[in-house]
Amino acid sequence: MTKETVQSEHLLQVQELKKYYPVRGGFFRRKVGDVKAVDNISLELKRGETFGLVGESGCGKSTAGRTIMRLFKPTGGKILFEGQDITELRGSGLRDLRRDIQMVFQDPYASLNPKMMVGSIVSEPMINYGMGSESKLKDEVMELLKRVGLPEDAYYKYPHEFSGGQRQRIGIARALALKPKLIIADEPVSALDVSVQSQVLNLLKELQEEFQLTLLFIAHDLSVVKHMSDRIGVMYLGNLVEVADGEDLYKDPKHPYTQALISAIPQPDPRNKSERVILSGDVPSPQNPPTGCPFHPRCPKVMPHCSEVKPQLKEVNRDHRAACLLYE
Amino acid sequence: MSSQDTLLEVKNLHTGFNIDGRVHHAVKDVSFSVKPKEVVCIVGESGCGKSVMSLSVMNLLPKHNGKIDKGEILFEGRDLAPLSEKEMNAIRGKDISMIFQEPMTALNPVLTIGYQLDEVLINHTTISKEEIRRKSVSLLKQVGISRADQIVNEYPHQLSGGMRQRVMIAIAIACQPKLLIADEPTTALDVTVQAQILELIGKIQEEVGMAVLLITHDLGVVAEMADRVVVMYAGQVVEETDVDRLFYEPKHPYTKALLESIPKMDEKRDVLNTIEGIVPSLKNMPEKGCRFVDRCPAAMDVCREMDPILGETDKGHAVRCFLYEESFPQSSDKRAEVQ
Ligand SMILES: Nc1ncnc2c1ncn2[C@@H]1O[C@H](COP(=O)(O)OP(=O)(O)OP(=O)(O)O)[C@@H](O)[C@H]1O
Ligand SMILES: Nc1ncnc2c1ncn2[C@@H]1O[C@H](COP(=O)(O)OP(=O)(O)OP(=O)(O)O)[C@@H](O)[C@H]1O
Ligand code: SF4
Ligand code: SF4
Ligand SMILES: [Mg+2]
Ligand SMILES: [Mg+2]
């Protein structure tokens, strides 16, 4: 990657991204179909903002995150990072990119090497990128551990000696070690209890300001996503169906799926039991997605042509886009 | 209280596990009651003893290391704790049913859905053989399964998570139980499917006229479903009251902090309230004193010295906290009882 810094407003631009997984079957393990995990996603992240990606299990959030950081090769579409096309990046270019984009995972335990001391876990990426030896980096790592709220002696301990919330702090420290420009946090608090969840959410917000991070925050819990994000993208079956400012999305959701999703979230207020939109059925398989609008088999506002025409993400209001034929 | 107003009364329940030769109490002095047709929610964070409490009621504790040490579980006035396996079998599935978080573990993977439903009906009812399958199909329809006549011949793995939970509910209500214990029935499901299942539980509860003991860690689910709420922390009940007072007049410092630590859709806050630290593990429970003391913003010296007792501050509102003990009408007698 050439190092001329294109100071575009956008740190990341994703255009019509697709990622299909092959389905193999039969005696010869031949490809018999595709799981269209990410079918069409276009989004931009401004520098320093938090973009929340929300949707139900299997809608392709993790696949999107991993494809954006180029753990996978996209099936189609384009990814621009700081204005550079990274879609086809390989070798040393990809290695440089990995330094700028880091990931925080849902299951902190599975993502940390159980045989390594926390100090080594956090310094490993720095050593890999030639920033010094473990002993030389020690003060810096200690400082980082302190910054994410871990006790002094954490450096010499092993992951199993920590609670879930503390392990997530270790994962965050490791992700921060290389001073990345973009952090992709994939369900970073989904495995945590509420009282610990709020600790980690607060920490992420503080760090973001302090290090001027751009954050792609992936989660299935819309309340959490809304708390964290400036803008939110709602995914359904591999497609981005709505993108808006968090407050707008909540107050004035345009897509029937977003409307149902918001109304399905039980609110912690017994005096406010709003009428629910109860969707029928389950999410269809991404291997055989419905024709036309992917939401049409469950949509309470379905129209006859919804099964034939696939809606595209279009501006409905200012800075508010939705993919629904109601607005075409 | 006469047995007419109470269906289930759990009194001073202590359930312990034998870990490395020592008994640790996962449930310590839990008391609460459920009235007929009432929905009571038990809410608390992971590891606070919700499941152990419900397994104690059902007499389903792991035999090799778990045991009820003390207390009574009165169901319609009869203590279930000392009952034999055979006596409990007659009650389980008939008077009291239970559904779990992961329906796959409760369903038998090699038997058809229909077979598993038929079995409950055969064991607990006198419905004739010819009628049984028809009843099974109608139960599946009642829980909103559309292709019921085909589904009876399918196996659990052929169904989605939401459908499996519907099947579990069908099995649980097959004999019109008086009490349904649902342990995190929607935690593994997506929100839109959770909404379907919660609505179904509410609908069935009215149709069958049963009481529901719903266990959850989600305060949104509590607000949506509960008549009354029991808040647990580290194996104990710390607060118990009706749903409105729990959300609008919470008393226990833990309940208050918990309510303030969840992000809410309809408000914008920069910083969430947090509860410092974590729930102590079973082996690290303080020997005496309040179990919340290390995380409590209001902790006092006495909180480390003595165990707070659960008492009523107002009618129908009980708290376990020294901040309120003076206002317990029966405080001195209760204290005497404990000491
Ligand atoms: N390596 C893989 N091979 C084949 N299919 C996959 C693979 N990874 C994911 N999938 C499928 O792709 C779809 C999207 O999965 P993905 O993990 O991206 O969803 P998600 O939105 O992150 O879900 P969750 O909320 O459960 O984490 C799912 O149907 C999943 O089964
Ligand atoms: N079979 C067992 N042997 C030893 N300890 C156990 C056993 N089952 C549960 N425990 C312990 O008892 C305590 C209470 O566990 P329980 O499963 O009741 O929590 P819970 O409130 O249901 O949590 P969750 O929300 O995670 O389901 C925990 O500390 C747990 O580790
Ligand atoms: S395009 Fe049609 S089916 Fe799809 S969300 Fe809009 S109204 Fe519903
Ligand atoms: S008893 Fe003391 S430590 Fe426990 S909750 Fe009340 S004030 Fe806090
Ligand atoms: Mg995922
Ligand atoms: Mg449990």
Side-chain angles (χ1 to χ4, degrees):
Chain A
M1 206 165 42
T2 47
K3 274 285 165 187
E4 40 160 326
T5 8
V6 191
Q7 275 296 351
S8 66
E9 182 199 5
H10 292 124
L11 181 71
L12 176 76
Q13 286 158 282
V14 175
Q15 296 164 356
E16 296 181 16
L17 187 70
K18 290 191 194 336
K19 173 64 196 171
Y20 296 171
Y21 297 108
V23 182
R24 296 184 192 280
F27 185 69
F28 295 105
R29 312 281 311 143
R30 259 199 299 259
K31 187 176 141 184
V32 295
D34 282 310
V35 176
K36 299 183 173 168
V38 170
D39 204 23
N40 189 357
I41 289 189
S42 301
L43 50 85
E44 303 88 39
L45 263 68
K46 298 190 197 101
R47 287 175 196 276
E49 84 166 336
T50 299
F51 187 95
L53 202 52
V54 68
E56 294 178 283
S57 160
C59 71
K61 304 180 294 295
S62 297
T63 304
R66 284 158 200 240
T67 311
I68 288 170
M69 74 175 289
R70 285 295 324 276
L71 291 176
F72 303 139
K73 196 168 156 36
T75 309
K78 229 180 183 178
I79 310 166
L80 305 178
F81 186 73
E82 300 196 292
Q84 310 255 5
D85 190 339
I86 61 164
T87 325
E88 301 283 333
L89 220 54
R90 288 189 294 139
S92 69
L94 201 53
R95 200 178 130 83
D96 286 345
L97 181 74
R98 292 276 146 77
R99 195 176 170 153
D100 289 336
I101 310 182
Q102 289 288 315
M103 197 144 182
V104 176
F105 298 93
Q106 164 169 0
D107 182 350
Y109 202 56
S111 63
L112 302 174
N113 185 340
K115 296 204 187 85
M116 271 164 79
M117 246 165 32
V118 168
S120 315
I121 289 176
V122 175
S123 50
E124 187 185 45
M126 299 159 98
I127 297 166
N128 285 345
Y129 279 91
M131 290 164 71
S133 63
E134 192 169 325
S135 56
K136 191 167 151 257
L137 291 165
K138 191 170 159 196
D139 288 347
E140 201 175 326
V141 171
M142 286 277 206
E143 193 55 37
L144 199 53
L145 291 175
K146 204 169 116 205
R147 182 60 200 89
V148 299
L150 287 165
E152 298 263 298
D153 57 350
Y155 192 96
Y156 301 104
K157 289 190 170 172
Y158 292 87
H160 74 262
E161 298 176 73
F162 293 91
S163 68
Q166 286 176 315
R167 282 178 204 147
Q168 199 51 288
R169 291 175 196 269
I170 300 171
I172 292 170
R174 180 179 156 103
L176 282 175
L178 291 172
K179 305 203 171 54
K181 293 175 179 148
L182 173 65
I183 288 195
I184 299 181
D186 190 358
E187 309 257 12
V189 297
S190 307
L192 306 177
D193 268 324
V194 272
S195 72
V196 178
Q197 166 180 301
S198 57
Q199 296 169 4
V200 174
L201 293 178
N202 284 349
L203 175 69
L204 276 171
K205 271 200 156 181
E206 286 165 27
L207 293 172
Q208 185 193 19
E209 287 203 358
E210 201 174 311
F211 295 85
Q212 298 189 335
L213 293 168
T214 308
L215 193 62
L216 181 60
F217 186 90
I218 300 175
H220 65 274
D221 182 335
L222 189 52
S223 322
V224 170
V225 170
K226 179 168 173 282
H227 172 74
M228 290 300 290
S229 313
D230 302 306
R231 286 186 307 135
I232 297 176
V234 181
M235 280 186 75
Y236 186 79
L237 213 58
N239 292 271
L240 207 54
V241 297
E242 186 158 4
V243 181
D245 167 84
E247 212 56 37
D248 257 10
L249 187 91
Y250 169 64
K251 295 224 171 85
D252 187 21
K254 297 292 184 194
H255 197 282
Y257 174 65
T258 314
Q259 291 165 358
L261 191 65
I262 290 174
S263 97
I265 299 169
Q267 290 306 306
D269 181 356
R271 291 186 194 167
N272 173 18
K273 292 190 195 174
S274 48
E275 265 309 296
R276 282 243 172 107
V277 186
I278 305 268
L279 292 179
S280 56
D282 298 304
V283 182
S285 151
Q287 199 181 330
N288 271 312
T291 55
C293 171
F295 188 53
H296 88 260
R298 302 174 79 199
C299 179
K301 296 184 179 163
V302 61
M303 304 171 289
H305 63 303
C306 295
S307 57
E308 286 153 23
V309 185
K310 184 163 175 182
Q312 300 298 316
L313 204 57
K314 289 212 171 108
E315 190 126 274
V316 180
N317 279 345
R318 200 167 169 266
D319 295 327
H320 193 146
R321 287 179 291 162
C324 168
L325 299 173
L326 287 171
Y327 305 100
E328 292 206 350
Chain B
M1 245 185 264
S2 79
S3 58
Q4 258 106 48
D5 334 315
T6 8
L7 183 64
L8 176 74
E9 190 176 8
V10 173
K11 276 168 123 173
N12 308 107
L13 181 69
H14 290 67
T15 302
F17 288 105
N18 195 322
I19 307 170
D20 306 331
R22 277 195 59 197
V23 175
H24 296 271
H25 283 111
V27 166
K28 192 184 174 206
D29 191 20
V30 163
S31 304
F32 66 89
S33 60
V34 183
K35 301 191 189 78
K37 301 182 188 168
E38 186 181 39
V39 179
V40 175
C41 280
I42 308 262
V43 66
E45 294 182 283
S46 163
C48 70
K50 306 182 295 295
S51 295
V52 171
M53 187 282 299
S54 52
L55 293 176
S56 304
V57 172
M58 292 297 276
N59 219 328
L60 288 173
L61 290 166
K63 296 242 156 12
H64 64 282
N65 70 342
K67 186 165 149 286
I68 296 176
D69 276 346
K70 214 165 116 184
E72 291 170 300
I73 297 163
L74 301 172
F75 184 74
E76 298 188 306
R78 175 184 184 202
D79 191 2
L80 303 183
L83 293 194
S84 69
E85 187 60 23
K86 194 162 159 247
E87 289 167 310
M88 260 327 275
N89 273 337
I91 293 174
R92 279 198 293 256
K94 184 167 189 305
D95 293 318
I96 312 178
S97 297
M98 185 156 175
I99 53 179
F100 302 89
Q101 172 170 341
E102 187 29 82
M104 210 50 200
T105 55
L107 291 169
N108 189 328
V110 300
L111 301 175
T112 62
I113 301 297
Y115 186 96
Q116 301 189 51
L117 259 168
D118 295 351
E119 201 175 42
V120 186
L121 293 167
I122 293 166
N123 286 344
H124 292 296
T125 64
T126 52
I127 302 176
S128 71
K129 272 221 169 71
E130 302 72 56
E131 277 292 308
I132 283 208
R133 194 34 82 85
R134 205 176 312 156
K135 173 80 184 163
S136 291
V137 172
S138 94
L139 277 165
L140 289 176
K141 286 187 178 148
Q142 195 182 354
V143 296
I145 287 181
S146 43
R147 298 178 300 119
D149 2 325
Q150 287 155 344
I151 298 284
V152 280
N153 297 317
E154 291 183 4
Y155 294 86
H157 70 90
Q158 293 173 278
L159 309 181
S160 71
M163 296 254 280
R164 279 182 216 140
Q165 201 54 287
R166 286 177 194 270
V167 169
M168 276 309 300
I169 294 172
I171 293 174
I173 62 165
C175 305
Q176 311 218 318
K178 293 172 186 147
L179 175 66
L180 174 71
I181 301 180
D183 189 354
E184 308 253 14
T186 58
T187 305
L189 304 174
D190 275 322
V191 264
T192 60
V193 181
Q194 162 169 289
Q196 296 169 1
I197 299 293
L198 291 180
E199 189 194 52
L200 176 67
I201 291 176
K203 183 187 108 188
I204 300 273
Q205 186 252 336
E206 278 177 24
E207 279 172 16
V208 180
M210 63 187 178
V212 176
L213 184 62
L214 180 66
I215 292 160
T216 177
H217 63 271
D218 184 336
L219 285 159
V221 171
V222 173
E224 197 79 35
M225 300 293 289
D227 296 316
R228 246 161 6 91
V229 188
V230 175
V231 183
M232 283 185 73
Y233 183 79
Q236 300 186 312
V237 175
V238 294
E239 184 155 4
E240 192 221 300
T241 188
D242 55 83
V243 69
D244 197 74
R245 277 191 281 180
L246 189 92
F247 284 86
Y248 283 90
E249 300 162 43
K251 292 212 153 102
H252 197 280
Y254 174 65
T255 315
K256 287 183 179 170
L258 201 59
L259 285 169
E260 283 167 16
S261 67
I262 37 175
K264 299 186 186 75
M265 290 284 278
D266 55 2
E267 61 177 42
K268 211 164 165 52
R269 277 188 293 176
D270 274 344
V271 192
L272 296 170
N273 197 359
T274 62
I275 307 176
E276 290 309 312
I278 54 165
V279 185
S281 70
L282 262 196
K283 285 180 173 173
N284 296 319
M285 252 350 136
E287 288 279 318
K288 62 175 181 182
C290 173
R291 292 183 157 196
F292 188 54
V293 69
D294 285 331
R295 308 178 76 192
C296 180
M300 304 166 284
D301 289 344
V302 58
C303 309
R304 293 191 188 276
E305 294 306 315
M306 285 202 298
D307 295 353
I309 52 175
L310 184 70
E312 282 199 333
T313 55
D314 307 296
K315 190 159 170 30
H317 197 158
V319 190
R320 183 190 297 273
C321 171
F322 283 116
L323 293 173
Y324 301 94
E325 272 204 18
E326 293 154 22
S327 57
F328 300 169
Q330 69 293 50
S331 168
S332 47
D333 325 345
K334 269 227 171 169
R335 259 276 151 243
E337 230 175 81
V338 179
Q339 271 147 15

